[in-house]
Amino acid sequence: MITVSLCMIVKNEEKVLGRCLDSIADLADEIVIVDTGSTDGTKRIAAKYTEQIYDFTWVGDFAAARNFAFSKAGMDYIYSADADEVLDERNRQAFRRLKETLLPEIEIVQMYYTNQLSHGTIYNYDKELRPKLFKRVRAFRWQGAIHEQVGLEPVVYDSEIEIIHLPETNHKNRDLAAFARMIEVGEPLDKRLHNIYAKELFISGEDQDFLAARDFFRSSCKDTARSVDEIKEAACVAARAARIAGEGEDFLKYALKVTACEGCAEICCELGEYYFSKQDIDEAVLWFYNGAYETESILNIRSSQDIPLKGLARCYRALGDEEQAAACEQAAQKLVDDTACRMERYHT
Protein backbone atom coordinates (compact mmCIF):
# COMPACT_ATOMS: atom_id res chain seq x y z
CA MET A 1 0.00 0.00 0.00
CA ILE A 2 1.29 3.47 -0.84
CA THR A 3 1.62 6.20 1.77
CA VAL A 4 0.19 9.68 1.19
CA SER A 5 1.12 13.16 2.40
CA LEU A 6 -1.84 15.53 2.36
CA CYS A 7 -0.47 18.99 1.54
CA MET A 8 -2.58 22.15 1.76
CA ILE A 9 -2.02 25.89 1.62
CA VAL A 10 -4.60 27.86 3.59
CA LYS A 11 -5.57 31.37 4.61
CA ASN A 12 -8.66 32.30 6.64
CA GLU A 13 -10.41 28.98 5.97
CA GLU A 14 -12.01 28.42 9.38
CA LYS A 15 -15.48 27.97 7.83
CA VAL A 16 -14.49 25.06 5.60
CA LEU A 17 -11.18 23.57 6.73
CA GLY A 18 -12.67 21.19 9.27
CA ARG A 19 -15.19 19.91 6.71
CA CYS A 20 -12.40 19.18 4.26
CA LEU A 21 -10.10 17.47 6.77
CA ASP A 22 -12.92 15.38 8.23
CA SER A 23 -13.41 13.88 4.77
CA ILE A 24 -9.76 13.07 4.01
CA ALA A 25 -7.63 13.08 7.18
CA ASP A 26 -7.93 9.35 7.92
CA LEU A 27 -6.81 8.52 4.37
CA ALA A 28 -3.56 10.48 4.74
CA ASP A 29 -0.44 9.17 6.45
CA GLU A 30 0.66 12.69 7.27
CA ILE A 31 -0.93 16.12 6.96
CA VAL A 32 1.08 19.22 6.04
CA ILE A 33 -0.68 22.57 6.44
CA VAL A 34 0.99 25.75 5.18
CA ASP A 35 -0.65 28.95 6.40
CA THR A 36 -0.08 32.08 4.33
CA GLY A 37 -1.31 34.62 6.87
CA SER A 38 -4.61 33.63 8.50
CA THR A 39 -6.18 36.06 10.94
CA ASP A 40 -9.06 33.78 11.97
CA GLY A 41 -9.15 30.36 13.63
CA THR A 42 -7.69 28.42 10.70
CA LYS A 43 -4.50 27.35 12.46
CA ARG A 44 -6.41 26.37 15.60
CA ILE A 45 -8.62 24.07 13.53
CA ALA A 46 -5.64 22.65 11.64
CA ALA A 47 -3.93 21.80 14.95
CA LYS A 48 -6.73 19.33 15.71
CA TYR A 49 -5.53 17.20 12.79
CA THR A 50 -1.77 17.67 12.60
CA GLU A 51 1.31 19.13 14.25
CA GLN A 52 2.88 19.88 10.87
CA ILE A 53 1.71 23.47 10.49
CA TYR A 54 4.06 25.91 8.81
CA ASP A 55 3.91 29.64 8.21
CA PHE A 56 4.75 30.96 4.77
CA THR A 57 4.99 34.65 4.02
CA TRP A 58 2.64 35.35 1.13
CA VAL A 59 4.45 36.70 -1.92
CA GLY A 60 1.49 36.71 -4.31
CA ASP A 61 2.52 33.36 -5.80
CA PHE A 62 0.41 30.25 -5.28
CA ALA A 63 3.04 28.04 -6.91
CA ALA A 64 5.69 29.17 -4.43
CA ALA A 65 3.39 28.34 -1.51
CA ARG A 66 2.51 24.91 -2.91
CA ASN A 67 6.16 24.13 -3.62
CA PHE A 68 6.98 24.98 0.00
CA ALA A 69 4.20 22.65 1.20
CA PHE A 70 5.44 19.84 -1.07
CA SER A 71 8.97 20.30 0.32
CA LYS A 72 7.68 19.32 3.77
CA ALA A 73 6.11 16.05 2.58
CA GLY A 74 7.75 12.72 3.36
CA MET A 75 5.42 9.98 2.09
CA ASP A 76 5.38 8.07 -1.21
CA TYR A 77 2.79 10.32 -2.82
CA ILE A 78 1.52 13.85 -2.24
CA TYR A 79 -2.18 14.65 -2.35
CA SER A 80 -2.81 18.35 -3.02
CA ALA A 81 -6.13 19.64 -1.66
CA ASP A 82 -7.86 22.97 -1.19
CA ALA A 83 -9.88 23.75 1.91
CA ASP A 84 -13.16 24.00 0.00
CA GLU A 85 -12.95 20.41 -1.29
CA VAL A 86 -14.82 17.41 0.10
CA LEU A 87 -14.73 13.66 -0.52
CA ASP A 88 -18.05 11.92 0.07
CA GLU A 89 -18.15 8.36 1.43
CA ARG A 90 -18.29 6.65 -1.97
CA ASN A 91 -15.19 8.48 -3.11
CA ARG A 92 -13.45 8.04 0.23
CA GLN A 93 -13.74 4.28 -0.29
CA ALA A 94 -12.46 4.66 -3.84
CA PHE A 95 -9.47 6.62 -2.53
CA ARG A 96 -8.76 3.89 0.01
CA ARG A 97 -8.85 1.22 -2.73
CA LEU A 98 -6.53 3.37 -4.84
CA LYS A 99 -3.98 3.43 -2.01
CA GLU A 100 -4.12 -0.36 -1.82
CA THR A 101 -3.80 -1.08 -5.54
CA LEU A 102 -1.85 1.77 -7.17
CA LEU A 103 0.97 0.47 -9.33
CA PRO A 104 4.38 1.89 -8.37
CA GLU A 105 5.16 3.07 -11.92
CA ILE A 106 2.26 5.54 -11.84
CA GLU A 107 3.53 9.03 -11.09
CA ILE A 108 0.40 11.18 -11.33
CA VAL A 109 -3.20 10.27 -10.54
CA GLN A 110 -5.94 12.46 -11.95
CA MET A 111 -9.29 12.77 -10.21
CA TYR A 112 -12.53 14.42 -11.26
CA TYR A 113 -13.11 17.90 -9.89
CA THR A 114 -16.86 18.42 -9.69
CA ASN A 115 -19.40 21.17 -8.94
CA GLN A 116 -17.30 23.55 -11.00
CA LEU A 117 -20.18 25.82 -11.97
CA SER A 118 -20.91 26.76 -8.36
CA HIS A 119 -19.34 30.21 -7.86
CA GLY A 120 -17.31 29.44 -10.99
CA THR A 121 -14.96 32.03 -12.39
CA ILE A 122 -13.21 30.20 -15.22
CA TYR A 123 -15.23 27.02 -15.74
CA ASN A 124 -17.67 26.11 -18.50
CA TYR A 125 -18.24 22.56 -17.32
CA ASP A 126 -19.24 20.93 -14.08
CA LYS A 127 -16.66 18.15 -14.03
CA GLU A 128 -13.06 17.84 -15.20
CA LEU A 129 -10.04 15.62 -14.61
CA ARG A 130 -7.27 17.25 -12.61
CA PRO A 131 -3.89 15.97 -11.42
CA LYS A 132 -4.30 15.55 -7.66
CA LEU A 133 -1.94 12.80 -6.45
CA PHE A 134 1.78 13.06 -7.25
CA LYS A 135 4.65 10.67 -6.68
CA ARG A 136 7.02 12.53 -4.37
CA VAL A 137 10.28 11.18 -5.79
CA ARG A 138 10.39 10.44 -9.48
CA ALA A 139 12.69 7.73 -10.87
CA PHE A 140 14.14 8.40 -14.31
CA ARG A 141 14.63 5.33 -16.52
CA TRP A 142 16.26 4.66 -19.86
CA GLN A 143 13.89 3.41 -22.53
CA GLY A 144 14.47 1.68 -25.87
CA ALA A 145 16.68 -1.26 -26.83
CA ILE A 146 18.53 1.01 -29.27
CA HIS A 147 18.61 4.80 -29.64
CA GLU A 148 17.72 4.75 -25.98
CA GLN A 149 16.50 7.85 -24.19
CA VAL A 150 15.36 8.81 -20.73
CA GLY A 151 11.60 8.71 -20.33
CA LEU A 152 10.48 12.26 -19.58
CA GLU A 153 6.71 11.99 -19.82
CA PRO A 154 5.11 11.10 -16.46
CA VAL A 155 2.98 7.99 -16.17
CA VAL A 156 -0.54 9.30 -15.55
CA TYR A 157 -3.57 7.34 -14.35
CA ASP A 158 -7.09 8.73 -14.75
CA SER A 159 -9.07 7.55 -11.75
CA GLU A 160 -12.84 7.66 -11.25
CA ILE A 161 -12.57 9.46 -7.89
CA GLU A 162 -14.72 12.58 -7.69
CA ILE A 163 -13.79 15.51 -5.48
CA ILE A 164 -16.65 17.85 -4.65
CA HIS A 165 -15.73 21.53 -4.86
CA LEU A 166 -17.83 23.55 -2.40
CA PRO A 167 -16.57 27.15 -2.49
CA GLU A 168 -18.00 29.70 -0.10
CA THR A 169 -17.31 32.68 -2.35
CA ASN A 170 -16.32 33.69 -5.85
CA HIS A 171 -12.56 34.39 -6.08
CA LYS A 172 -12.92 36.66 -9.09
CA ASN A 173 -11.60 39.83 -7.44
CA ARG A 174 -8.56 38.03 -6.04
CA ASP A 175 -7.75 36.39 -9.36
CA LEU A 176 -8.17 39.48 -11.52
CA ALA A 177 -6.05 41.51 -9.10
CA ALA A 178 -3.33 38.87 -9.41
CA PHE A 179 -3.43 39.12 -13.21
CA ALA A 180 -3.20 42.91 -12.97
CA ARG A 181 -0.12 42.63 -10.73
CA MET A 182 1.58 40.22 -13.14
CA ILE A 183 0.98 42.57 -16.07
CA GLU A 184 2.15 45.59 -14.09
CA VAL A 185 5.52 44.01 -13.30
CA GLY A 186 5.91 42.72 -16.85
CA GLU A 187 5.51 39.03 -16.07
CA PRO A 188 4.36 37.33 -19.29
CA LEU A 189 1.12 35.35 -19.41
CA ASP A 190 1.57 32.05 -21.22
CA LYS A 191 -1.17 30.57 -23.39
CA ARG A 192 -2.90 28.88 -20.44
CA LEU A 193 -2.98 31.97 -18.23
CA HIS A 194 -3.97 34.19 -21.16
CA ASN A 195 -6.96 31.92 -21.73
CA ILE A 196 -7.87 31.81 -18.04
CA TYR A 197 -7.73 35.61 -17.78
CA ALA A 198 -10.08 36.02 -20.75
CA LYS A 199 -12.41 33.30 -19.44
CA GLU A 200 -12.56 34.83 -15.99
CA LEU A 201 -13.52 38.18 -17.47
CA PHE A 202 -16.30 36.76 -19.62
CA ILE A 203 -17.66 34.45 -16.93
CA SER A 204 -17.59 36.74 -13.91
CA GLY A 205 -16.01 40.07 -14.87
CA GLU A 206 -17.75 43.41 -14.46
CA ASP A 207 -17.49 46.46 -16.69
CA GLN A 208 -14.59 47.96 -14.75
CA ASP A 209 -12.69 44.67 -15.00
CA PHE A 210 -12.91 44.69 -18.80
CA LEU A 211 -11.79 48.31 -18.94
CA ALA A 212 -8.84 47.56 -16.65
CA ALA A 213 -7.78 44.64 -18.88
CA ARG A 214 -8.32 46.50 -22.15
CA ASP A 215 -4.77 47.64 -22.86
CA PHE A 216 -3.29 44.20 -22.19
CA PHE A 217 -5.64 42.39 -24.55
CA ARG A 218 -5.34 45.05 -27.25
CA SER A 219 -1.60 44.46 -27.10
CA SER A 220 -2.18 40.72 -27.31
CA CYS A 221 -4.04 41.23 -30.58
CA LYS A 222 -0.82 42.69 -32.04
CA ASP A 223 1.51 40.10 -30.51
CA THR A 224 2.89 37.99 -33.37
CA ALA A 225 3.95 35.32 -30.87
CA ARG A 226 0.32 34.66 -29.94
CA SER A 227 -1.64 31.89 -31.66
CA VAL A 228 -4.82 32.50 -33.66
CA ASP A 229 -6.88 31.21 -30.74
CA GLU A 230 -5.19 33.62 -28.33
CA ILE A 231 -5.71 36.57 -30.67
CA LYS A 232 -9.35 35.56 -31.05
CA GLU A 233 -9.97 35.51 -27.30
CA ALA A 234 -8.01 38.75 -26.86
CA ALA A 235 -10.13 40.43 -29.52
CA CYS A 236 -13.29 39.30 -27.72
CA VAL A 237 -12.13 41.06 -24.55
CA ALA A 238 -11.01 44.15 -26.45
CA ALA A 239 -14.36 44.32 -28.27
CA ARG A 240 -16.34 44.06 -25.03
CA ALA A 241 -14.20 46.76 -23.43
CA ALA A 242 -14.69 49.05 -26.42
CA ARG A 243 -18.45 48.52 -26.33
CA ILE A 244 -18.51 49.32 -22.61
CA ALA A 245 -16.46 52.47 -23.30
CA GLY A 246 -18.94 53.49 -26.01
CA GLU A 247 -16.29 53.48 -28.74
CA GLY A 248 -18.16 52.00 -31.68
CA GLU A 249 -15.40 52.19 -34.28
CA ASP A 250 -12.94 50.41 -31.98
CA PHE A 251 -15.61 47.87 -31.08
CA LEU A 252 -16.25 46.96 -34.72
CA LYS A 253 -12.50 46.73 -35.38
CA TYR A 254 -12.06 43.98 -32.81
CA ALA A 255 -15.37 42.30 -33.58
CA LEU A 256 -14.26 41.96 -37.20
CA LYS A 257 -10.99 40.37 -36.07
CA VAL A 258 -12.99 37.63 -34.38
CA THR A 259 -15.43 37.07 -37.24
CA ALA A 260 -12.47 36.81 -39.63
CA CYS A 261 -11.32 33.86 -37.49
CA GLU A 262 -14.64 31.99 -37.92
CA GLY A 263 -16.33 33.89 -35.12
CA CYS A 264 -17.69 32.64 -31.81
CA ALA A 265 -20.80 32.96 -29.66
CA GLU A 266 -19.18 35.60 -27.44
CA ILE A 267 -18.69 38.07 -30.28
CA CYS A 268 -22.17 37.30 -31.66
CA CYS A 269 -23.63 38.33 -28.29
CA GLU A 270 -21.46 41.45 -28.29
CA LEU A 271 -22.69 42.40 -31.76
CA GLY A 272 -26.25 41.72 -30.64
CA GLU A 273 -25.83 44.08 -27.69
CA TYR A 274 -24.16 46.69 -29.90
CA TYR A 275 -26.96 46.78 -32.47
CA PHE A 276 -29.63 46.61 -29.77
CA SER A 277 -28.11 49.73 -28.19
CA LYS A 278 -28.30 51.39 -31.62
CA GLN A 279 -31.99 50.38 -31.80
CA ASP A 280 -31.26 48.31 -34.91
CA ILE A 281 -33.35 45.45 -33.55
CA ASP A 282 -33.44 43.35 -36.73
CA GLU A 283 -29.64 43.28 -36.85
CA ALA A 284 -29.50 42.49 -33.14
CA VAL A 285 -31.84 39.52 -33.69
CA LEU A 286 -29.51 38.19 -36.38
CA TRP A 287 -26.48 38.22 -34.10
CA PHE A 288 -28.21 36.90 -30.98
CA TYR A 289 -29.66 34.07 -33.11
CA ASN A 290 -26.17 33.25 -34.36
CA GLY A 291 -24.92 33.20 -30.79
CA ALA A 292 -27.64 30.82 -29.69
CA TYR A 293 -27.79 28.45 -32.65
CA GLU A 294 -24.97 28.89 -35.16
CA THR A 295 -21.70 29.36 -33.26
CA GLU A 296 -19.82 27.83 -30.34
CA SER A 297 -18.53 29.59 -27.25
CA ILE A 298 -14.80 29.83 -26.57
CA LEU A 299 -14.76 31.59 -23.19
CA ASN A 300 -18.15 31.40 -21.49
CA ILE A 301 -20.46 28.54 -22.43
CA ARG A 302 -23.47 30.66 -21.49
CA SER A 303 -22.66 32.82 -24.52
CA SER A 304 -24.14 30.02 -26.64
CA GLN A 305 -26.94 29.22 -24.20
CA ASP A 306 -29.10 31.49 -22.06
CA ILE A 307 -27.31 34.81 -22.74
CA PRO A 308 -28.23 35.08 -26.46
CA LEU A 309 -31.69 33.65 -25.79
CA LYS A 310 -32.32 36.41 -23.26
CA GLY A 311 -31.02 38.89 -25.83
CA LEU A 312 -33.46 37.50 -28.40
CA ALA A 313 -36.29 37.85 -25.88
CA ARG A 314 -35.48 41.55 -25.43
CA CYS A 315 -35.39 42.01 -29.19
CA TYR A 316 -38.70 40.27 -29.83
CA ARG A 317 -40.31 42.23 -27.03
CA ALA A 318 -39.03 45.47 -28.57
CA LEU A 319 -40.58 44.34 -31.86
CA GLY A 320 -43.89 43.67 -30.13
CA ASP A 321 -43.69 39.87 -30.54
CA GLU A 322 -44.54 38.78 -27.01
CA GLU A 323 -45.04 35.13 -27.96
CA GLN A 324 -41.52 34.78 -29.37
CA ALA A 325 -40.09 36.71 -26.43
CA ALA A 326 -41.77 34.39 -23.94
CA ALA A 327 -40.56 31.30 -25.81
CA CYS A 328 -36.96 32.53 -25.73
CA GLU A 329 -37.22 33.37 -22.03
CA GLN A 330 -38.58 29.91 -21.26
CA ALA A 331 -35.77 28.24 -23.23
CA ALA A 332 -33.19 30.37 -21.42
CA GLN A 333 -34.70 29.60 -18.01
CA LYS A 334 -34.66 25.87 -18.73
CA LEU A 335 -30.92 26.03 -19.41
CA VAL A 336 -30.38 27.93 -16.16
CA ASP A 337 -32.56 25.49 -14.20
CA ASP A 338 -30.77 22.46 -15.65
CA THR A 339 -27.45 23.88 -14.50
CA ALA A 340 -28.88 24.64 -11.05
CA CYS A 341 -30.13 21.05 -10.74
CA ARG A 342 -26.67 19.68 -11.54
CA MET A 343 -25.16 21.94 -8.89
CA GLU A 344 -27.80 21.12 -6.27
CA ARG A 345 -26.96 17.42 -6.26
CA TYR A 346 -23.55 18.22 -4.78
CA HIS A 347 -25.09 20.15 -1.89
CA THR A 348 -27.70 17.59 -0.82
Side-chain angles (χ1 to χ4, degrees), residues 4 24 53 69 86 105 117 123 147 170 205 219 225 255 258 275 282 337:
V4 173
I24 193 65
I53 302 172
V86 173
E105 60 265 29
L117 296 177
Y123 305 111
H147 301 298
N170 184 311
S219 295
V258 181
Y275 285 110
D282 290 334
D337 291 344

Side-chain angles (χ1 to χ4, degrees), residues 298-314:
I298 62 170
L299 296 169
N300 181 1
I301 196 170
R302 292 183 58 213
S303 297
S304 60
Q305 296 181 344
D306 63 296
I307 290 174
L309 287 170
K310 290 175 181 176
L312 279 172
R314 283 187 284 122

Side-chain angles (χ1 to χ4, degrees), residues 41 134 148 245 331:
F134 306 87
E148 69 282 357

Side-chain angles (χ1 to χ4, degrees), residues 176 197 201 205-218 237-247 250:
L176 294 181
Y197 192 8
L201 285 166
E206 299 174 48
D207 286 359
Q208 65 267 24
D209 299 319
F210 278 90
L211 294 174
R214 185 181 185 183
D215 287 345
F216 170 77
F217 283 102
R218 289 174 71 175
V237 177
R240 167 74 75 89
R243 183 175 65 79
I244 292 168
E247 298 177 11
D250 205 47

Side-chain angles (χ1 to χ4, degrees), residues 8-291:
M8 302 177 67
I9 59 173
V10 297
K11 181 179 179 181
N12 294 337
E13 302 285 7
E14 67 176 3
K15 292 183 178 180
V16 296
L17 181 58
R19 180 184 68 187
C20 173
L21 290 172
D22 283 343
S23 75
I24 193 65
D26 63 322
L27 298 174
D29 298 280
E30 72 170 352
I31 299 173
V32 175
I33 304 289
V34 171
D35 189 276
T36 61
S38 292
T39 56
D40 63 0
T42 294
K43 291 170 73 173
R44 173 179 51 79
I45 294 169
K48 297 178 181 178
Y49 300 86
T50 181
E51 295 180 355
Q52 291 181 258
I53 302 172
Y54 303 91
D55 290 312
F56 182 83
T57 302
W58 181 243
V59 292
D61 187 333
F62 283 97
R66 291 199 189 277
N67 285 334
F68 178 76
F70 274 32
S71 75
K72 301 299 181 182
M75 298 296 136
D76 301 331
Y77 285 79
I78 300 172
Y79 179 69
S80 179
D82 291 328
D84 57 6
E85 299 174 7
V86 173
L87 281 175
D88 62 18
E89 189 55 35
R90 177 176 67 86
N91 288 289
R92 279 169 39 77
Q93 295 304 321
F95 197 111
R96 185 170 285 110
R97 289 192 298 271
L98 180 74
K99 286 187 64 178
E100 295 170 351
T101 60
L102 189 65
L103 298 175
E105 60 265 29
I106 292 173
E107 295 166 314
I108 296 175
V109 177
Q110 297 204 113
M111 302 177 186
Y112 283 103
Y113 214 59
T114 66
N115 197 34
Q116 292 286 69
L117 296 177
S118 176
H119 295 290
T121 55
I122 62 170
Y123 305 111
N124 288 314
Y125 33 79
D126 213 37
K127 178 177 175 179
E128 68 161 344
L129 276 170
R130 281 190 181 184
K132 294 293 291 182
L133 189 68
F134 306 87
K135 197 165 192 177
R136 186 174 64 85
V137 178
R138 186 178 180 195
F140 288 95
R141 296 180 176 85
W142 289 95
Q143 299 173 345
I146 60 171
H147 301 298
E148 69 282 357
Q149 64 180 6
V150 173
L152 299 178
E153 294 295 323
V155 180
V156 180
Y157 169 63
D158 294 342
S159 76
E160 293 299 320
I161 296 172
E162 294 186 359
I163 300 160
I164 304 172
H165 185 213
L166 297 174
E168 292 287 304
T169 59
N170 184 311
H171 298 305
K172 181 264 293 186
N173 291 334
R174 179 200 69 186
D175 294 349
L176 294 181
F179 281 122
R181 285 194 298 271
M182 292 175 70
I183 293 165
E184 185 179 359
V185 300
E187 185 172 345
L189 299 188
D190 62 17
K191 184 174 183 178
R192 184 182 72 90
L193 288 177
H194 188 275
N195 175 257
I196 289 174
Y197 192 8
K199 278 184 177 178
E200 194 144 14
L201 285 166
F202 266 87
I203 292 174
S204 58
E206 299 174 48
D207 286 359
Q208 65 267 24
D209 299 319
F210 278 90
L211 294 174
R214 185 181 185 183
D215 287 345
F216 170 77
F217 283 102
R218 289 174 71 175
S219 295
S220 282
C221 288
K222 301 176 184 177
D223 188 345
T224 56
R226 295 285 183 188
S227 67
V228 172
D229 287 342
E230 290 172 283
I231 292 172
K232 189 174 175 180
E233 64 196 21
C236 283
V237 177
R240 167 74 75 89
R243 183 175 65 79
I244 292 168
E247 298 177 11
E249 185 175 344
D250 205 47
F251 167 76
L252 291 172
K253 169 185 171 181
Y254 289 104
L256 286 170
K257 283 184 183 293
V258 181
T259 54
C261 300
E262 297 185 355
C264 62
E266 284 80 3
I267 211 64
C268 287
C269 291
E270 289 302 311
L271 284 161
E273 293 292 351
Y274 174 78
Y275 285 110
F276 188 87
S277 71
K278 299 295 184 183
Q279 298 186 336
D280 189 344
I281 307 303
D282 290 334
E283 193 69 15
V285 167
L286 170 67
W287 288 108
F288 282 129
Y289 183 91
N290 272 274

